[in-house]
Amino acid sequence: MKNAEVNGPAASEPAALRRSNRSLTGKLWFFVAGSFAFGFALVPLYRVLCSVTGFGDQKLLTEAVAAPISAANAAEGANAPTAAGIDQSRTVTVEFMANLPTVGNWEFQPVQKTLQVHPGQLYEADFIAHNLTGHDTVAQAVPNIAPGEAASWFHKTQCFCFSPQSFKRDEQRVLPVRFFIDRALPAYVDRVTLSYTFYDVAAGVAAR
Amino acid sequence: MAYSATAESHEHHDHKPSGLWRWLSTTNHKDIGTLYLIFAGVMFFVGGSMAMVIRLELFKPGMQFLDPAFFNSMTTVHALAMIFGAVMPAWVGLANWMIPLQVGAPDMALPRMNNFSFWLLPFAFTLLLIGFFVPGGAPAGGWTLYPPLVLQGGDSFPLAIFAIHLMGASSIMGAINVIVTIMNMRAPGMTLLRMPLFVWTWLITAYLLIAVMPVLAGAVTMLLTDHFFGTSFFSASGGGDPVMFQHVFWFFGHPEVYILILPAFGIVSEVIPTFSRKPLFGYEAMVYATASIAFLSFIVWAHHMFTVGMPLAGELFFMLSTMLIAIPTGVKVFNWSATMWKGSLTFEPPMLFCLAFLFLFSIGGFSGLMLAIAPADFQYQDTYFVVAHFHYVLVPGSIFTIIAAVYYWLPKWTGHMYDMTLAKWHFWLSTIFVNVLFFPQHFLGLAGMPRRIPDYATQFADWNMVSSIGGFGFGLSQLLFPYIVIKCIRGGEKAAARVWEGAHGLEWEVPSPAPYHTWETAPSLAVIHSGGEHWTED
């Protein structure tokens, strides 16, 4: 069906026009490939932006802090007893939230809903998780902190969110998190919410 | 007529294979333009019938006809069919028909790719629409495809993703074709700043398309691998972030809304000067305003997601950059108004639709400004106010100008005049009912009615009923459109080459109907200069 008549003018184009059409088309396809790659490049870019601003940065939210006294406190309280690192004059309300992505196959809640804390002091809060999926499984808690600005000053020394948790069928367990709030927490923040979403990741773990 | 001599000598070119094979194998820009326009018309009625189903369910509070999942499929597929099936193919169809005629080129630069890009579309929409017949039903997570909801869809999820891949590939190829045609195929003497504005707006649109359609392809590919291959781009359990999808999606999505509207600006800039019998006011300002809008569209995306929890600096940046768009858009509206100032106006159907565009698109623009105000948006987010806003810019914006373009060039395509009286009926019914349909949705939204719900609290009942009546009226009056077009194809008063006495531009230099092959010999400089879009008053 290669009919010059049907193809019409395209077939009678001068060779120069064809060459320049081909070259521009090639460049435009290259541009398209670049745009496609840019879509994927947004993923690491987004992570970088998150770690710069602290908003929803999973690395920051799940990182363990070794010592309960931060660098800021250490510099100031180097020749004072450890308790001097605690700011008794200030009280911050910490709220605990537990979320589940689906309903019906887990129970997951904080033991206490709120805690009044002094910056610089180490605290422990407990969450209770109950596996109702009817089989042995693995779950992973993903933390979040609101307001986002507070995330950089909310330090966890121990957390069940650091690694996937194995649960036997019908097992119920208390999951502790140990944390302290940095004394450098901006003064306007008087309330911090720590939330966990508890994902069943058995399928993902098996795939890995 | 400058054209007649060449038309005569090339008559022998006009034979082509007959029947179905002609349409499957055609590489002629007019044939492909026609195919695109027919496809867009069919999808307009497919998507429109879904809108009728939505308005039927919302006619009264309570669940009357549908189950909620099917209702959600209706809103989702209505949007996908209208955006990717009706408006975008209609613009590509008009580009195919008119750009070679307007720049004095014999055809599109890449005729075979042109054929391929059209024929991808029926397959794309077959994939999308067979979703209704697979377990789990058609996609129901909204056209924005937000995870994790979209990942919970049934078997239609991968079908929809592949459909979007095909639509994207089709429009990318269409856009490349437009760019190469405009850059390489213009007749000698048709300088860039002599091009008609429809060509200019399409050139800018085409660049937007190749910049953002691949990003959408990437985003839906990430959804696909999240669902089937264990990646966690957007799954928080694996360290991903569903909010990131919204960023990637709207990086595509906001330029996309300008892809839908920029060619409309081109049409209005052709039609208003013709029926005002005056050159377009501020031609170059129009070109630069279009380019500024296109540039700004890349840096405003997060105004679609003010409520996800952004830093204050982000909210402010996206709020202010969004409001900035009102400036070049205001330039355009001013220039169109100034074009009409002291013109000898007549009100043929294309002009009527463009005038309605001017008023109603501005209403959509103003509600857009309201939505741009971040603190106010916390109230408007995901309410019917948003629905009213984007339907005001898309229906009297894009759809009305597509109709205006068809009424403007239909005599050129068919060689016949259409039934003006019926077309005016079409205009008045459309314009009255589109307002009855969408204006009350502003009230519903401000009163707090959420979008994408099949049932609602009883205080929303009255305006929903009004809106539904408007919807049925608008839907029924659109049936006039194919009737008028088909009647015109079949026959009618013979149209002159220059159909409208005030029309300028190369397309009016060829006979009506436009022969199968045009501008095989490029138009002369004299013809280009006399027919230039922004001819000077001298």
Side-chain angles (χ1 to χ4, degrees):
Chain A
M1 204 55 219
K2 281 239 161 93
N3 185 345
E5 299 292 318
V6 176
N7 293 334
S12 59
E13 282 170 357
L17 179 59
R18 285 194 144 189
R19 252 199 322 277
S20 75
N21 280 356
R22 207 166 290 161
S23 121
L24 181 56
T25 308
K27 282 178 203 150
L28 292 171
W29 275 115
F30 192 73
F31 189 101
V32 168
S35 301
F36 188 68
F38 178 73
F40 284 88
L42 284 172
V43 177
L45 279 174
Y46 181 76
R47 301 261 153 83
V48 169
L49 198 73
C50 286
S51 68
V52 170
T53 60
F55 274 77
D57 178 14
Q58 283 304 311
K59 201 160 158 260
L60 178 78
L61 290 170
T62 47
E63 231 164 23
V65 173
I69 302 301
S70 71
N73 287 340
E76 186 190 319
N79 51 0
T82 17
I86 300 168
D87 184 352
Q88 300 282 3
S89 66
R90 188 173 171 202
T91 307
V92 177
T93 307
V94 179
E95 299 173 322
F96 303 100
M97 273 180 69
N99 305 304
L100 289 164
T102 50
V103 182
N105 44 15
W106 281 89
E107 262 175 42
F108 179 53
Q109 52 204 335
V111 173
Q112 63 273 66
K113 291 248 188 305
T114 61
L115 205 58
Q116 306 292 325
V117 307
H118 297 305
Q121 187 167 345
L122 194 61
Y123 293 88
E124 183 176 310
D126 292 328
F127 284 69
I128 294 177
H130 188 183
N131 173 14
L132 303 173
T133 57
H135 49 80
D136 298 358
T137 186
V138 182
Q140 166 84 55
V142 174
N144 207 349
I145 288 169
E149 299 98 307
S152 316
W153 291 280
F154 193 99
H155 302 300
K156 295 187 280 290
T157 61
Q158 187 201 330
C159 180
F160 58 95
C161 60
F162 294 161
S163 58
Q165 305 284 316
S166 289
F167 277 80
K168 296 251 176 302
R169 174 183 173 166
D170 216 30
E171 182 180 350
Q172 178 166 345
R173 240 195 4 252
V174 174
L175 303 166
V177 50
R178 290 165 72 84
F179 67 92
F180 67 94
I181 287 178
D182 204 305
R183 291 181 52 167
L185 180 76
Y188 63 85
V189 181
D190 61 354
R191 184 177 291 263
V192 178
T193 307
L194 172 65
S195 97
Y196 289 105
T197 309
F198 211 53
Y199 291 96
D200 197 313
V201 291
V205 170
R208 262 172 249 152
Chain B
M1 204 79 326
Y3 189 84
S4 51
T6 48
E8 211 79 43
S9 65
H10 284 284
E11 215 138 87
H12 62 277
H13 270 296
D14 271 22
H15 60 81
K16 52 217 167 202
S18 56
L20 190 61
W21 185 249
R22 168 189 168 190
W23 295 103
L24 284 170
S25 67
T26 184
T27 57
N28 179 285
H29 73 102
K30 299 185 185 80
D31 279 355
I32 294 173
T34 305
L35 285 172
Y36 264 111
L37 288 169
I38 292 170
F39 182 81
V42 171
M43 293 312 294
F44 178 63
F45 285 98
V46 170
S49 53
M50 291 174 191
M52 294 301 104
V53 174
I54 292 168
R55 283 319 319 173
L56 187 65
E57 179 58 54
L58 295 176
F59 189 74
K60 275 186 355 187
M63 300 301 297
Q64 334 286 340
F65 304 102
L66 313 177
D67 73 285
F70 187 74
F71 181 90
N72 291 342
S73 292
M74 284 288 116
T75 55
T76 305
V77 182
H78 162 74
L80 290 170
M82 285 303 198
I83 294 168
F84 294 100
V87 176
M88 287 169 72
W91 288 134
V92 181
L94 288 167
N96 260 295
W97 247 105
M98 300 318 299
I99 287 178
L101 278 179
Q102 291 191 310
V103 300
D107 202 313
M108 296 294 277
L110 311 160
R112 288 196 183 83
M113 196 161 91
N114 207 2
N115 175 292
F116 185 45
S117 69
F118 171 75
W119 282 108
L120 280 178
L121 283 179
F123 292 96
F125 281 88
T126 308
L127 280 181
L128 182 67
L129 295 176
I130 58 177
F132 281 107
F133 308 104
V134 301
W143 83 277
T144 51
L145 307 165
Y146 282 1
L149 185 59
V150 71
L151 301 175
Q152 294 160 10
D155 292 353
S156 64
F157 168 73
L159 296 175
I161 298 296
F162 290 134
I164 289 170
H165 276 140
L166 290 182
M167 297 165 199
S170 163
S171 45
I172 287 168
M173 284 192 280
I176 290 180
N177 218 335
V178 166
I179 296 175
V180 179
T181 304
I182 296 174
M183 299 313 282
N184 286 356
M185 306 281 284
R186 276 172 290 128
M190 176 59 78
T191 56
L192 283 177
L193 282 177
R194 206 175 269 288
M195 296 194 309
L197 261 167
F198 180 63
V199 179
W200 254 116
T201 52
W202 236 112
L203 179 65
I204 293 165
T205 304
Y207 274 107
L208 287 182
L209 274 165
I210 61 170
V212 300
M213 288 308 290
V215 175
L216 174 68
V220 298
T221 306
M222 288 185 239
L223 286 176
L224 197 70
T225 59
D226 265 16
H227 193 66
F228 291 105
F229 304 109
T231 59
S232 22
F233 287 105
F234 310 123
S235 153
S237 65
D241 189 343
V243 173
M244 185 179 71
F245 178 84
Q246 301 190 21
H247 282 287
V248 181
F249 180 85
W250 287 113
F251 184 83
F252 145 80
H254 201 76
E256 168 70 15
V257 306
Y258 290 101
I259 288 165
L260 301 175
I261 202 68
L262 289 186
F265 295 166
I267 297 296
V268 178
S269 306
E270 307 272 319
V271 170
I272 286 186
T274 295
F275 297 100
S276 305
R277 290 162 187 81
K278 269 182 69 195
L280 182 70
F281 182 87
Y283 169 88
E284 286 188 23
M286 288 300 221
V287 173
Y288 297 135
T290 311
S292 324
I293 294 174
F295 168 75
L296 287 172
S297 75
F298 284 106
I299 57 164
V300 299
W301 74 89
H303 66 214
H304 295 271
M305 39 190 290
F306 278 139
T307 56
V308 296
M310 263 188 288
L312 184 63
E315 306 254 334
L316 283 172
F317 172 79
F318 287 111
M319 173 172 121
L320 295 173
S321 58
T322 302
M323 296 172 108
L324 218 52
I325 296 182
I327 295 170
T329 314
V331 167
K332 285 182 163 295
V333 173
F334 177 84
N335 285 359
W336 290 320
S337 313
T339 304
M340 290 186 286
W341 177 254
K342 291 190 173 174
S344 352
L345 273 68
T346 50
F347 300 95
E348 283 86 347
M351 181 65 163
L352 287 173
F353 275 100
C354 284
L355 287 175
F357 163 91
L358 214 51
F359 284 101
L360 302 179
F361 179 80
S362 297
I363 291 179
F366 286 137
S367 59
L369 270 176
M370 290 171 71
L371 288 161
I373 300 167
D377 184 73
F378 276 67
Q379 166 80 14
Y380 307 147
Q381 171 87 24
D382 273 339
T383 66
Y384 257 83
F385 192 78
V386 179
V387 176
H389 159 69
F390 67 70
H391 280 99
Y392 257 91
V393 288
L394 280 174
V395 182
S398 304
I399 301 283
F400 270 30
T401 44
I402 290 167
I403 294 172
V406 171
Y407 283 144
Y408 188 54
W409 284 314
L410 193 60
K412 174 58 62 189
W413 300 338
T414 62
H416 306 130
M417 289 309 288
Y418 49 88
D419 187 332
M420 290 277 185
T421 316
L422 267 186
K424 284 183 182 174
W425 270 99
H426 179 206
F427 166 76
W428 284 109
L429 290 171
S430 297
T431 304
I432 290 166
F433 280 121
V434 85
N435 285 295
V436 178
L437 165 57
F438 293 121
F439 210 85
Q441 296 184 0
H442 290 115
F443 311 145
L444 288 169
L446 293 177
M449 178 171 161
R451 62 190 283 208
R452 292 172 172 158
I453 52 165
D455 187 9
Y456 48 83
T458 44
Q459 72 264 32
F460 303 128
D462 293 350
W463 286 122
N464 265 301
M465 192 177 280
V466 172
S467 179
S468 284
I469 290 167
F472 302 142
F474 184 77
L476 286 175
S477 48
Q478 295 322 300
L479 295 174
L480 280 172
F481 190 40
Y483 175 76
I484 293 166
V485 171
I486 290 167
K487 195 172 154 205
C488 175
I489 292 170
R490 290 205 167 156
E493 189 197 325
K494 191 97 187 64
R498 188 177 303 278
V499 178
W500 317 104
E501 57 157 351
H504 289 250
L506 290 181
E507 73 265 37
W508 310 110
E509 305 290 333
V510 306
S512 299
Y516 198 56
H517 294 297
T518 40
W519 298 133
E520 293 182 283
T521 312
S524 68
L525 272 177
V527 171
I528 290 173
H529 287 196
S530 73
E533 159 72 18
H534 53 120
W535 75 100
T536 47
E537 283 172 302
D538 43 15

